[in-house]
Amino acid sequence: MNAFNKFTRLVGLTLILGLFPGCGNKPNPALEEAYQKAASVLASDESFYPIIDEELYYFTTQTLDSITPLYINEQDAVKKLMKIETFLAFTTRDFTEKERKSLKDRKYLPRAIPIAYDGLAIIVNNANPDSCITIKDFRRILKGEVTQWNEIYPHNKLGDIDVVFDNPLSSTVRWCVDSILGGQQFSTGKNIGAVKTSAAVIDYVEKHVNSLGIIGSNWLNDKRDTTNVTFKKNISVMGVSKMDSAKSYNSWKPYQYYLYNGNYPLRRTIYALLNDTRNGVPSGFAHFVQLPKGQKIILRAGLLPRSANMNVRDVIVNKE
């Protein structure tokens, strides 16, 4: 067989195969529509709104892709992922074994991608004279064993400790239950409650002198400060100590360096829970956040990137 005949047969075979593009694999419009609908949104715990919103801005500007964020509580974000109403959720936890098995049984490929670390910040009103707290006392407050400020600080005259969380189903609440209370629930007393959002926690603490708020640290950075060493001026961020007695020299605030070296004890991991089988827009965004540009955005937001290089430098903080 000469070269010309070989070429003719190859072309003929290609043409014949081209006559049967959908043999046994006809596209299903309903499945395609369902995929596109789920791929067009992402779900995120509301406490990550500042960082995810900024990441999305740069991602969509660069790629011209469109993806709509839903800032909801962590439980509902995971539920949407499990119901295949989205393929991407940002949380502070990995898949559970039950969730992972459920998705795999349905022929999905769940992946938990750590992207950053943040600190759970304890905030108080600027009129509060005390600026440090121990993990032990924080646990006692959540368990309802302590309900008055003077039970921790004898000189403090602010009365009841009014504890406020962002949302009853948020990652903040779940993390405190798991990591601070060892799986036990909060006190059912009247001194612990929740609003709806992290911004509402800051607003509440600013207006109530006896309050104590718990939010993600990415809500605290003052955008005027490019060094990320100052927090919002309308509230005070407490230093947190692992010791039995909290002093200024053994208590730490959720600055990046103290998240980095482990001094700050309320550190948690932020995950991108991904379940996109087509490597579409949800996968593209999850991987963008992992890339140097996405990690730099995390660094600039005051959180600790998962994989970016850290440059440690000394700074002088002017407290006046």
Side-chain angles (χ1 to χ4, degrees):
M1 183 184 295
N2 60 35
F4 177 77
N5 288 335
K6 288 181 180 179
F7 176 74
T8 302
R9 290 191 176 188
L10 180 61
V11 172
L13 180 61
T14 303
L15 290 173
I16 291 170
L17 291 175
L19 296 175
F20 305 99
C23 185
N25 290 294
K26 291 184 178 180
N28 186 320
L31 289 178
E32 182 63 26
E33 183 181 356
Y35 173 81
Q36 294 299 336
K37 184 177 180 180
S40 68
V41 298
L42 68 84
S44 173
D45 185 86
E46 182 274 335
S47 64
F48 303 134
Y49 162 75
I51 182 62
I52 298 302
D53 218 47
E54 189 166 357
E55 293 278 7
L56 271 175
Y57 171 79
Y58 285 99
F59 173 75
T60 54
T61 301
Q62 175 179 302
T63 65
L64 301 182
D65 289 320
S66 177
I67 186 166
T68 301
L70 301 176
Y71 296 111
I72 52 183
N73 64 72
E74 185 177 73
Q75 286 192 32
D76 286 344
V78 174
K79 285 179 181 178
K80 285 187 173 293
L81 192 70
M82 297 303 296
K83 292 179 180 179
I84 318 301
E85 294 177 2
T86 181
F87 293 110
L88 178 61
F90 289 90
T91 68
T92 57
R93 69 169 179 86
D94 196 342
F95 289 102
T96 66
E97 287 302 315
K98 183 178 180 180
E99 290 165 348
R100 197 180 298 274
K101 183 179 185 303
S102 172
L103 291 170
K104 286 183 176 180
D105 287 347
R106 288 181 278 163
K107 309 303 180 184
Y108 291 99
L109 298 172
R111 288 163 284 170
I113 305 170
I115 61 168
Y117 304 98
D118 84 331
L120 207 62
I122 300 176
I123 61 174
V124 293
N125 187 275
N126 282 338
N128 195 316
D130 294 292
S131 59
C132 303
I133 191 169
T134 65
I135 290 291
K136 179 180 69 176
D137 285 334
F138 183 45
R139 182 182 299 111
R140 292 169 63 207
I141 291 172
L142 297 183
K143 292 174 69 175
E145 296 174 355
V146 169
T147 59
Q148 299 281 317
W149 282 106
N150 62 12
E151 292 179 75
I152 302 175
Y153 314 102
H155 61 276
N156 194 309
K157 299 179 180 179
L158 294 180
D160 293 336
I161 302 175
D162 188 3
V163 182
V164 59
F165 282 90
D166 50 353
N167 187 291
L169 302 178
S170 71
S171 62
T172 303
V173 170
R174 183 198 55 76
W175 194 91
C176 284
V177 168
D178 291 349
S179 301
I180 303 298
L181 299 181
Q184 298 179 14
Q185 294 301 312
F186 294 146
S187 162
T188 56
K190 62 180 182 179
N191 67 311
I192 297 180
V195 282
K196 291 185 178 181
T197 65
S198 299
V201 174
I202 294 174
D203 184 63
Y204 187 92
V205 170
E206 182 181 6
K207 294 176 180 178
H208 297 80
V209 294
N210 63 324
S211 59
L212 181 149
I214 301 99
I215 57 175
S217 61
N218 68 118
W219 278 90
L220 296 175
N221 289 308
D222 190 331
K223 296 299 183 182
R224 296 167 297 180
D225 177 19
T226 58
T227 64
N228 285 322
V229 295
T230 59
F231 294 129
K232 290 183 179 293
K233 304 298 191 300
N234 53 340
I235 47 87
S236 296
V237 182
M238 298 195 87
V240 183
S241 177
K242 302 174 186 177
M243 303 292 107
D244 289 334
S245 178
K247 305 295 182 183
S248 59
Y249 57 81
N250 66 13
S251 301
W252 313 94
K253 296 183 180 182
Y255 294 125
Q256 286 168 321
Y257 180 63
Y258 300 141
L259 295 173
Y260 175 72
N261 68 9
N263 278 350
Y264 190 71
L266 304 181
R267 190 181 88 163
R268 56 185 186 169
T269 305
I270 302 174
Y271 292 93
L273 299 186
L274 183 65
N275 194 38
D276 181 13
T277 55
R278 298 193 189 181
N279 289 323
V281 175
S283 295
F285 181 60
H287 293 305
F288 171 81
V289 176
Q290 291 180 282
L291 295 174
K293 188 168 185 177
Q295 292 286 285
K296 187 175 181 180
I297 293 169
I298 289 172
L299 180 68
R300 191 170 64 240
L303 304 186
L304 179 64
R306 167 73 177 185
S307 58
N309 293 326
M310 291 288 293
N311 294 318
V312 178
R313 63 184 185 273
D314 293 329
V315 296
I316 297 175
V317 179
N318 187 352
K319 297 184 179 180
E320 294 182 359

